[in-house]
Structure formats: structure tokens, C-alpha cells
Amino acid sequence: MREKILNTPWTFMRWLRLGVGIYALVNLFFVPFNVFFLLFGLWFTYQALFNYGCGACSTPMSQNRGNEEVKTVDYEEIT
């Protein structure tokens, strides 16, 4: 768990998620207890600490592992 937090790169989006999560959790002290802020803050803080995304913004990993030959595509330019 410690390696997941410290040894993975901290990108801009990860810092942004951490900031939004902490902001929502700090708002719990200034706004009467609101479950929305609690869940919102915990979810974004969890995403930032463990580098876990929602899945919608991630791109799939390439299936080409280097052991397959790259095929060239023949095309004809139309002018």
C-alpha cells in the first residue's frame, strides 16, 4: 500500500483529485454535516492516494506486446 502511494507518479490529475477530496472533507467542518461532502471527499481522496480512476478517462493498454509483427496498411491517395 505504501509503494502504491509513494512509488507511482503523481500527475496533475492525481493532485487535482487530492485537492478536491481534501476541500470536500474540510467543508464538513464549516457546513452542517452533509453526507454528500463526506462521500465526495472520501471518494476523491481514495482515488488520489491509490491512483485509482473512474475508468472513463483511462485509455486501454496496447495489446501489441512486441512479439507480433506490425502490419503496414496500403492506401491510395485520392485527389
Side-chain angles (χ1 to χ4, degrees):
M1 180 167 58
R2 184 176 179 185
E3 290 178 15
K4 185 84 170 169
I5 295 171
L6 299 176
N7 292 339
T8 54
W10 280 78
T11 61
F12 172 74
M13 282 305 295
R14 198 168 172 187
W15 282 108
L16 183 66
R17 281 189 221 126
L18 182 65
V20 169
I22 290 175
Y23 175 77
L25 290 175
V26 167
N27 270 332
L28 283 172
F29 295 108
F30 299 110
V31 177
F33 185 75
N34 190 345
V35 176
F36 175 73
F37 279 122
L38 176 65
L39 295 176
F40 190 73
L42 289 176
W43 176 248
F44 273 90
T45 306
Y46 168 78
Q47 281 185 331
L49 289 178
F50 297 108
N51 200 20
Y52 178 77
C54 62
C57 56
S58 65
T59 57
M61 294 184 68
S62 173
Q63 296 298 323
N64 188 2
R65 303 261 190 245
N67 46 352
E68 292 180 11
E69 199 172 297
V70 177
K71 299 176 184 174
T72 59
V73 177
D74 294 328
Y75 64 94
E76 184 177 325
E77 187 174 328
I78 301 173
T79 57

